[in-house]
Amino acid sequence: MGVVQIVTATVAFAYTAVAIGLFVRAGLGMLELIRLGAPDRTRKGDRGTRVKTMLRETLGHTRMLQWTWVGLAHWAVFFGFFLLAPALAQSYFEVINPEWALPIVGHWGPWLLFSEILTVLTGLAILALFGIRMFRQPRTHQVPPQGTASEAGQRRSSSRFEGSRQWMAFYIEATIFTIVLSHMAVRVFKVSLGEAPEWASPVSALFAGGLSGASHDSLLSAITLTAGLDILVSWTFFLMLALIPSMGIGWHRVTAFFNIYFKRNADGAVSLGPAKPMLIDGEPADFETADPETQPFGVATIADFSWKGLLDFSTCTECGRCQSQCPAWNTGKPLSPKKLITDLRDHLYEQAPYLKAASLAAERGGQPDPHEKINIIGSVIDPDVLWACTTCGACVEQCPVDIEHVDTILDLRRNMVMMESDFPEEAQTMLRNLENKGNPWGENPAHRLKWAEPLDFEVPIAEAGGEWEYLYWVGCAGAYDPKAQKTSRAVATLLHDAGVKFAVLGEAETCTGDSARRIGHEFMYQMLAEQNVETLNEVGAVKIVATCPHCLNTIGNEYEDLGGKYEVVHHTELLNDLVNAGKITPVEEHEGKLTYHDPCYLGRHNRIFTPPRELLGSFAEITEMPRTEERSFCCGAGGARMWLEEPIGKRVNRERADEAVATGASTVAVGCPFCSTMLRDGVNDAGREDVEVIDIAQLLARTQEKRAEKAVAAE
């Protein structure tokens, strides 16, 4: 053991010990901090399913591979990072004696070949990721201003990396590439020494010939020094994590496993569909016993977030996938889902010493927290950030580590609305109408059935024991909005002509509470929902058909928590089944080019993509927009934004309307009354009154009308 080995080994082992000590201390500190979050008992149970989900998403990279090439490159780096650990272990042997190797496999040809291939693939993959990041730099993808926006709200580029801490990503990429180079260099030296067969080191052998003039001792010293470099670079990465606990792009290699394990749905489904219930003491809120004086409604301070929320913040990699898909960010609003999470994370670690001190004081004798609590809204997150969200779920859909952005926004909104009465002025009218009239338009509840008056048949009212199979949930839009009323009549006519026995609630129907819940008024939502559940259970509803995806989502996914379990289908699903069964026969082809807009709450939230397309395909050819299905772009109405003004940036509905018009379609087919209103306004704003926005049911009804006209003419 020469001087080079003695010095290198001493430095390597000492550095390793320090890095491990600091990293473990930082990890335990992070765990302690996350456990200070509010309880959330909805994440327990289904351990076996959760483990399977975690392994599938991590080892299979199922979420990362939504972006194929980036996902494949990350997959190679993922396995390289963990499976090349034996190479790091071997470095400890080599700093002591460069001729030593791992026991058993150290000189085994198949292992040497496998590790060589894996090292090369990791190096190529990290170069690919570096290239992608360089190509998508914000400064090279600047965008012109979009409408009127604040300086803080206006996006400056179309890059998903805008707002990310780039130096951290470049540091990690450089670290991994340096480790790859050190492993390859050691292999080159060993091939030159004849210690590794060339067939098991095909790439290294290409470079080994250039060292033919090097002496045996110099090659041994080079192995030791390079192995020492490998150890120092590898453990510097962990040292950096210890020193920067908010370095999510590094920490996610540890926390992502737990964040995925504890995701809302154990089976791996994204955290969309039903809204996360408001929690009090870790359980869904019971407003009959809840005390707002001692139990906060929603989230006001960082300590109010659940431990899962704090884990979310600590896991964000700043990859920007959420940001790239967000309709608010893409139209110049101040909301970036990525920045929302990273701002909360930075605030969390700024407040960490105070949170831990308060916890310690409470443990030692129930002493009150001496530190002033910082209200997040206004000091950390601007209110406009929260009100810009349409709850479309694109951010949650795209996040590779299962961060639940929408749940975080709803929790913050709940505190603003119920505790502070702080919400946009326009929302006050909507909430007052819901409370007094049972619908957001403020229309007379006695007029719930006026939409059916022009029909030439009577629409039956649902009664317990009645002879009907489906309860047709008309919804507030279908009952009161003149355009949506046409859809209601089309659906009723099609069901009637197909022989489907259905009934409606009429005046007994009231708003599902979707807009109230998603604007943050959980109490009003529960009040409306409980009334509807009682009514539905009284009439014995089992199967429900709805034209509004928001009603479908609320009744089908959220009412079960309140004692209402129903089989809810969208009208396009039922109509498609009737067409497939031959009970409805579309015989007329649609004239002109047609495109279809996926409503967020039908598609992304409830995974209903195929039935509307199959139904349209029975009488029309669809020209798809660039952003469809899971990546469909929002119309701008979700999250109660249907009732709010949009003064900042480009209007979301105009952005989607421009995309629809760009397909050359003369007809935009929709399956949601909110989408219909928003896209119609967007098309008109674009000066394209020649483009028709219409519900699929109305298009299908037209084919039946034309067939009837032809039959009459033939007689």
Side-chain angles (χ1 to χ4, degrees):
M1 190 174 182
V3 175
V4 173
Q5 285 73 37
I6 293 173
V7 173
T8 306
T10 301
V11 172
F13 280 92
Y15 194 77
T16 300
V18 171
I20 290 177
L22 292 176
F23 177 70
V24 169
R25 187 181 70 173
L28 293 175
M30 178 179 288
L31 176 61
E32 178 189 359
L33 179 62
I34 290 172
R35 292 177 66 180
L36 292 179
D40 181 350
R41 298 183 181 89
T42 65
R43 311 280 174 168
K44 60 185 179 181
D46 299 314
R47 292 182 179 179
T49 304
R50 289 185 179 277
V51 169
K52 290 177 183 177
T53 296
M54 180 190 69
L55 293 176
R56 182 177 66 250
E57 288 195 17
T58 54
L59 300 182
H61 259 48
T62 52
R63 315 257 329 126
M64 284 294 301
L65 288 170
Q66 291 183 103
W67 294 26
T68 306
W69 293 109
V70 175
L72 287 173
H74 191 277
W75 201 357
V77 172
F78 171 83
F79 279 103
F81 189 84
F82 288 102
L83 295 184
L84 286 180
L88 174 61
Q90 179 157 303
S91 294
Y92 286 96
F93 289 92
E94 291 163 343
V95 295
I96 298 173
N97 186 333
E99 295 180 311
W100 284 1
L102 284 176
I104 303 175
V105 298
H107 294 98
W108 187 41
W111 163 254
L112 295 176
L113 179 61
F114 171 74
S115 61
E116 173 103 348
I117 293 172
L118 186 60
T119 303
V120 171
L121 287 177
T122 303
L124 293 175
I126 204 65
L127 285 176
L129 294 176
F130 174 78
I132 290 169
R133 185 173 291 272
M134 288 300 296
F135 178 74
R136 296 298 305 175
Q137 281 298 292
R139 64 178 177 274
T140 60
H141 291 78
Q142 295 181 357
V143 297
Q146 295 176 317
T148 303
S150 64
E151 182 65 27
Q154 190 67 62
R155 66 172 186 156
R156 295 180 294 276
S157 81
S158 60
S159 170
R160 63 187 174 99
F161 297 121
E162 181 180 326
S164 297
R165 292 182 290 185
Q166 298 276 42
W167 75 266
M168 291 185 177
F170 286 130
Y171 163 72
I172 289 175
E173 288 165 351
T175 293
I176 295 173
F177 191 64
T178 302
I179 292 171
V180 166
L181 288 181
S182 67
H183 291 171
M184 290 300 298
V186 168
R187 183 64 61 85
V188 169
F189 299 146
K190 291 199 170 186
V191 171
S192 298
L193 287 169
E195 293 185 10
E198 292 189 6
W199 69 267
S201 309
V203 178
S204 300
L206 296 176
F207 299 93
L211 299 176
S212 57
S215 68
H216 184 271
D217 289 344
S218 63
L219 289 173
L220 292 178
S221 295
I223 290 173
T224 295
L225 292 173
T226 306
L229 175 65
D230 178 33
I231 292 170
L232 294 181
V233 171
S234 297
W235 286 107
T236 296
F237 167 74
F238 290 96
L239 189 60
M240 289 288 285
L241 297 188
L243 298 176
I244 311 176
S246 63
M247 193 175 181
I249 193 171
W251 274 107
H252 87 278
R253 286 164 171 78
V254 178
T255 59
F257 294 95
F258 300 99
N259 210 50
I260 293 170
Y261 177 88
F262 287 114
K263 66 190 301 183
R264 191 204 295 177
N265 300 311
D267 63 0
V270 290
S271 301
L272 296 174
K276 186 191 80 171
M278 191 183 85
L279 301 180
I280 295 179
D281 293 332
E283 302 288 351
D286 180 355
F287 286 102
E288 292 185 2
T289 59
D291 180 5
E293 296 295 328
T294 58
Q295 299 168 313
F297 288 0
V299 167
T301 70
I302 197 68
D304 295 334
F305 278 107
S306 73
W307 59 263
K308 176 57 170 66
L310 303 186
L311 182 59
D312 270 358
F313 307 155
S314 301
T315 306
C316 179
T317 70
E318 303 184 34
C319 68
R321 290 190 183 201
C322 58
Q323 179 173 282
S324 72
Q325 305 295 305
C326 177
W329 186 78
N330 273 286
T331 54
K333 310 296 189 295
L335 168 63
S336 159
K338 174 183 69 179
K339 194 170 188 304
L340 170 74
I341 297 299
T342 57
D343 284 350
L344 289 171
R345 178 190 62 200
D346 293 345
H347 179 60
L348 168 64
Y349 285 98
E350 287 172 1
Q351 294 297 303
Y354 307 110
L355 294 175
K356 291 179 180 179
S359 174
L360 186 61
E363 289 178 2
R364 288 179 174 175
Q367 300 175 14
D369 183 3
H371 307 104
E372 180 182 358
K373 290 181 170 58
I374 298 177
N375 195 310
I376 290 171
I377 306 303
S379 59
V380 181
I381 305 296
D382 190 283
D384 285 339
V385 168
L386 303 180
W387 298 123
C389 180
T390 67
T391 67
C392 71
C395 51
V396 179
E397 176 72 40
Q398 288 299 321
C399 182
V401 292
D402 287 303
I403 291 171
E404 298 163 3
H405 314 72
V406 174
D407 292 348
T408 292
I409 289 172
L410 285 184
D411 275 337
L412 289 165
R413 282 185 176 185
R414 285 163 174 161
N415 188 271
M416 293 177 70
V417 172
M418 290 190 288
M419 299 294 288
E420 304 294 334
S421 296
D422 180 10
F423 46 82
E425 187 176 345
E426 319 90 87
Q428 186 173 349
T429 301
M430 182 267 289
L431 293 171
R432 184 169 57 247
N433 289 337
L434 285 177
E435 185 176 9
N436 297 331
K437 300 291 186 179
N439 67 84
W441 279 274
E443 295 288 341
N444 190 334
H447 295 167
R448 277 269 177 186
L449 260 179
K450 275 189 171 293
W451 64 271
E453 290 178 356
L455 297 174
D456 57 6
F457 60 91
E458 184 178 353
V459 176
I461 304 298
E463 295 179 353
E467 295 185 1
W468 46 273
E469 180 183 8
Y470 282 94
L471 178 80
Y472 177 21
W473 186 274
V474 181
C476 299
Y480 298 117
D481 181 84
K483 297 290 185 182
Q485 285 177 341
K486 295 179 181 180
T487 301
S488 301
R489 288 192 286 270
V491 171
T493 301
L494 289 165
L495 295 180
H496 177 266
D497 292 347
V500 177
K501 293 183 178 180
F502 72 96
V504 299
L505 289 177
E507 294 180 23
E509 182 181 300
T510 191
C511 182
T512 62
D514 165 81
S515 292
R517 187 171 217 189
R518 279 160 180 80
I519 206 169
H521 207 313
E522 186 77 2
F523 175 75
M524 185 173 292
Y525 157 73
Q526 287 199 19
M527 180 178 66
L528 293 166
E530 287 171 357
Q531 179 180 339
N532 281 324
V533 167
E534 182 179 354
T535 301
L536 290 169
N537 289 345
E538 282 179 357
V539 301
V542 176
K543 295 182 179 180
I544 299 175
V545 57
T547 55
C548 177
H550 297 265
C551 295
L552 174 146
N553 181 68
T554 303
I555 299 172
N557 294 327
E558 299 180 351
Y559 279 11
E560 186 173 355
D561 293 338
L562 300 172
K565 188 172 184 178
Y566 317 105
E567 179 187 335
V568 188
V569 298
H570 191 244
H571 69 289
T572 58
E573 293 181 283
L574 180 55
L575 294 176
N576 186 52
D577 288 343
L578 294 173
V579 169
N580 291 335
K583 295 182 179 180
I584 299 176
T585 306
V587 294
E588 293 291 335
E589 287 293 320
H590 177 78
E591 297 179 1
K593 188 178 284 189
L594 175 147
T595 191
Y596 171 63
H597 164 75
D598 285 281
C600 298
Y601 274 80
L602 184 66
R604 194 155 38 236
H605 279 272
N606 283 279
R607 326 310 289 181
I608 300 173
F609 303 114
T610 302
R613 287 177 168 80
E614 283 188 353
L615 182 57
L616 282 170
S618 67
F619 59 86
E621 183 177 345
I622 305 173
T623 300
E624 295 282 9
M625 287 183 259
R627 294 178 284 198
T628 62
E629 299 190 357
E630 291 93 341
R631 297 193 188 184
S632 179
F633 197 79
C634 184
C635 75
R641 285 221 56 89
M642 178 75 178
W643 319 105
L644 306 181
E645 295 297 330
E646 192 174 348
I648 302 176
K650 181 180 181 180
R651 294 181 67 86
V652 175
N653 63 336
R654 175 62 189 275
E655 173 81 2
R656 186 56 164 171
D658 287 346
E659 188 173 8
V661 168
T663 65
S666 58
T667 302
V668 181
V670 296
C672 171
F674 287 3
C675 294
S676 181
T677 297
M678 298 298 283
L679 291 181
R680 191 180 302 112
D681 290 348
V683 166
N684 291 339
D685 186 53
R688 293 297 303 271
E689 287 81 1
D690 58 315
V691 176
E692 182 182 32
V693 179
I694 186 170
D695 191 273
I696 299 173
Q698 291 176 254
L699 290 172
L700 180 61
R702 282 182 185 176
T703 71
Q704 303 304 290
E705 292 169 3
K706 290 180 180 179
R707 184 177 66 172
E709 290 171 1
K710 282 190 175 183
V712 171
E715 293 176 357

